[in-house]
Amino acid sequence: MRMEEVYEQLQLWVEENRSHTMLGATAQYIPALAEQEPNQLGICIMDYDGDTYLAGETDVNFTLQSVSKIISFVALCHFKGMDFVLDKVDVEPTGEAFNSIIPFEIHRPGKPFNPLINAGAITVASMLPGDTPDEKFERFILFVEGMIGRRLELNEEVYQSEWKTAHRNRALAYYLKESNLLELDVEEALEIYIRLCSISIGLKDLSKIGLVIAHDGYDPVEKQQIFSSDVARIAKVLMVTCGMYNSSGKFAAHVGLPAKSGVSGGILASVPPKWHSEEKAFRKGCGIAVFGPAIDAHGNSAAGTMLLRQLSAEWDLSIF
């Protein structure tokens, strides 16, 4: 497909799917996120050559929220090795809500089911390199900077908003501490976890991360290996099985892409190369970032999910 055709299709599909924002609402339990404009919808696709295709509201920044979980998992595996990480966090879907305490009561004393639920992500955040939350945050920021070529910053307003309302996450952290899974005290572990969730990012930067994951940790634009293909493979499996909260199965069936969502309305998706689809767009693979802050009951962008479903169907992007 010609670049002009891709642009035209994206613009059309964004407007067609904008009405789906009415099926969701901004995250009301985090005051700073509740204030977002719910009717926004934007997308950025970055292809193998680093060219970007944008449509809708694309000049907005939003916080990573749970999208940070897959990136922190990749970072920790890169720094300390997969065996070290998987000794503390499993890779199984839970069937429970992302912030549920139930698994701890049923399976105690057990490790978190996967790094994409809050308990797993808090554990992962506490194990990042460094002795303090500041040192761990800096190492994470530098790791991401190595992928996108610029430094990301903390959204202090969102951080403070989440810190003041993190009652359930604080309870989860105490369970984790009791099971000797945290490498920090409870308050410090919670601090680094919430700081990672509160990092501000744009669509272009997020699509670049998706591109690197899609190509097994290799940056095709800068021609360098960022992290190992084994880490990327596990990351993509987790994104398919656990990345879209409790609707991960439906998303896999209808969209068929490794993806991770966050309650700010962001979605990170990775499209591996599909060399046999010569007539379709992005046969060399791509990274996709979507932002639509009106989220559904599961915590996923209502319009963003539908937009990705249409893209996958029309351009044959599904990995299945």
Side-chain angles (χ1 to χ4, degrees), residues 81 88 228:
K88 294 290 184 71
S228 77

Side-chain angles (χ1 to χ4, degrees), residues 45-51 53 207 210-216 220-221 236 257 269-277 280-288 316-317 319:
I45 302 177
M46 182 176 291
D47 69 13
Y48 184 85
D49 300 310
D51 295 325
Y53 304 80
S207 67
L211 178 69
V212 173
I213 295 174
H215 287 86
D216 295 333
V221 181
K236 283 182 280 192
L257 293 176
S270 294
V271 182
K274 204 168 187 177
W275 298 104
H276 64 277
S277 301
K280 303 294 184 178
F282 306 109
R283 71 187 187 97
K284 292 184 179 181
C286 63
I288 304 177
D316 188 27
L317 301 181
I319 65 174

Side-chain angles (χ1 to χ4, degrees), residues 49-79:
D49 300 310
D51 295 325
T52 54
Y53 304 80
L54 301 101
E57 285 78 33
T58 58
D59 59 348
V60 295
N61 285 338
F62 51 94
T63 50
L64 283 172
Q65 297 303 321
S66 285
V67 176
S68 68
K69 294 173 181 176
I70 193 62
I71 307 173
S72 61
F73 171 77
V74 167
L76 184 60
C77 288
H78 173 72
F79 288 129

